Amino acid sequence: MIYYRYLYTNLIVKDMKSFRIFAFAMVLLLALACNNSGKVVLPQLEPFVYETDEEGSHSVRISYQRIVNTEDNDIFAKIERQNYINSFFNDSEECDDVVIDLEATAKSIADEYASYAYEYGPVCWYSMDQTSFFVRDNTVLCYETLIESYTGGAHGGSSLWYECFDLATGAIYDFSYLYDGEWGSAMKELVYAKLIADKVLLIESVEELPPFRSAALTESGVVIIYQPYEVACFAAGIISVEVTDEEIVETGAPLLWE
């Protein structure tokens, strides 16, 4: 009798262990299913690359980050269109009828630099290298676009551009407000102090600090970009200054991304 009780108990224990393992597995699968169903969908970015090199004439290389999952997401489609306009057109207000055609646009740039080479003589070149990244818990998509070109003269030119998009609305962040309003003077003093800490500037006072045309949201603040010649000599290159959220708040400026 004791033997059968022992056997029965072990069978129950084994069955209970198997049941607990099965139950745990089902809970885990359900949790994963819930997590996947509630997962935030992010833009899927893939590079579009165009290259041409005509020896003795011109070369063009374009690397552009395009969103490929725009078909069922109006916000992603809005961001893709705006990034296309920002990347290849100077005035977005005149681009209402633009149709996205990366191949045609890249070829038109190559043709333009071929004409420069024909007109000016030396080898002309153009390079656009665009990357993308997410910040602030994947709520903001930012593009970084480095453009370098040469159409003759002592040296070529370079510029660095950022655009950051709110993934909830597709709106692009405009950081120019940081130099405006009642906090504008304090913000300029903050940026100027950071500039003169390690750079020799062409400007001699905070009053001469020009507006910036490029800025990006980071995980902890905002990085402000000054292109060559804007505040320093060409040899100084592209200059970046980062101000933290805490420093911005101290100037009295609001944080529009919170």
Side-chain angles (χ1 to χ4, degrees):
M1 187 59 124
I2 294 176
Y3 169 77
Y4 287 105
R5 183 177 180 181
Y6 172 81
L7 177 62
Y8 178 70
T9 301
N10 275 272
L11 287 173
I12 292 176
V13 169
K14 289 179 180 179
D15 287 343
M16 288 300 293
K17 286 182 178 178
S18 298
F19 176 76
R20 285 198 297 271
I21 293 171
F22 174 77
F24 175 76
M26 290 302 297
V27 170
L28 181 61
L29 288 173
L30 288 172
L32 289 172
C34 291
N35 286 338
N36 287 333
S37 63
K39 184 179 180 180
V40 176
V41 178
L42 295 176
Q44 297 174 13
L45 293 115
E46 292 181 358
F48 164 84
V49 178
Y50 177 95
E51 290 184 276
T52 182
D53 188 354
E54 297 292 334
E55 186 176 354
S57 174
H58 67 283
S59 66
V60 170
R61 186 183 188 280
I62 295 171
S63 179
Y64 169 88
Q65 293 290 315
R66 59 180 170 184
I67 301 176
V68 296
N69 57 334
T70 60
E71 186 174 346
D72 299 321
N73 193 305
D74 292 339
I75 290 177
F76 294 173
K78 176 182 178 181
I79 294 173
E80 171 62 21
R81 177 179 175 79
Q82 190 60 54
N83 182 52
Y84 175 76
I85 291 172
N86 292 345
S87 299
F88 299 111
F89 298 90
N90 291 326
D91 190 351
S92 61
E93 294 180 359
E94 298 179 359
C95 298
D96 292 340
D97 299 327
V98 165
V99 176
I100 297 177
D101 189 336
L102 289 166
E103 287 284 352
T105 299
K107 187 178 184 305
S108 69
I109 294 174
D111 291 342
E112 180 182 359
Y113 275 77
S115 69
Y116 289 154
Y118 177 79
E119 181 177 356
Y120 301 121
V123 175
C124 297
W125 49 269
Y126 174 89
S127 171
M128 187 186 86
D129 186 14
Q130 186 172 88
T131 57
S132 60
F133 56 94
F134 297 95
V135 294
R136 305 298 173 124
D137 294 325
N138 291 334
T139 61
V140 178
L141 168 62
C142 295
Y143 294 92
E144 176 188 276
T145 307
L146 175 64
I147 295 177
E148 299 175 296
S149 63
Y150 178 76
T151 56
H155 54 72
S158 62
S159 57
L160 183 64
W161 304 98
Y162 285 103
E163 269 92 27
C164 293
F165 292 88
D166 182 349
L167 289 177
T169 64
I172 190 169
Y173 281 100
D174 181 0
F175 299 103
S176 62
Y177 82 95
L178 293 173
Y179 276 11
D180 300 328
E182 58 191 29
W183 52 79
S185 296
M187 271 297 305
K188 290 179 181 178
E189 290 176 1
L190 173 62
V191 172
Y192 184 74
K194 288 175 177 282
L195 284 171
I196 62 175
D198 60 352
K199 299 291 181 184
V200 177
L201 304 182
L202 294 175
I203 58 176
E204 297 180 350
S205 67
V206 66
E207 287 74 24
E208 297 180 16
L209 186 67
F212 57 86
R213 296 177 294 156
S214 179
L217 197 62
T218 68
E219 290 293 355
S220 59
V222 173
V223 60
I224 293 172
I225 302 299
Y226 279 106
Q227 312 296 349
Y229 289 127
E230 287 189 326
V231 295
C233 65
F234 178 81
I238 298 166
I239 295 175
S240 64
V241 177
E242 185 167 2
V243 290
T244 66
D245 285 355
E246 291 76 11
E247 289 173 327
I248 293 172
V249 169
E250 287 176 1
T251 69
L255 303 179
L256 299 185
W257 44 92
E258 287 193 342

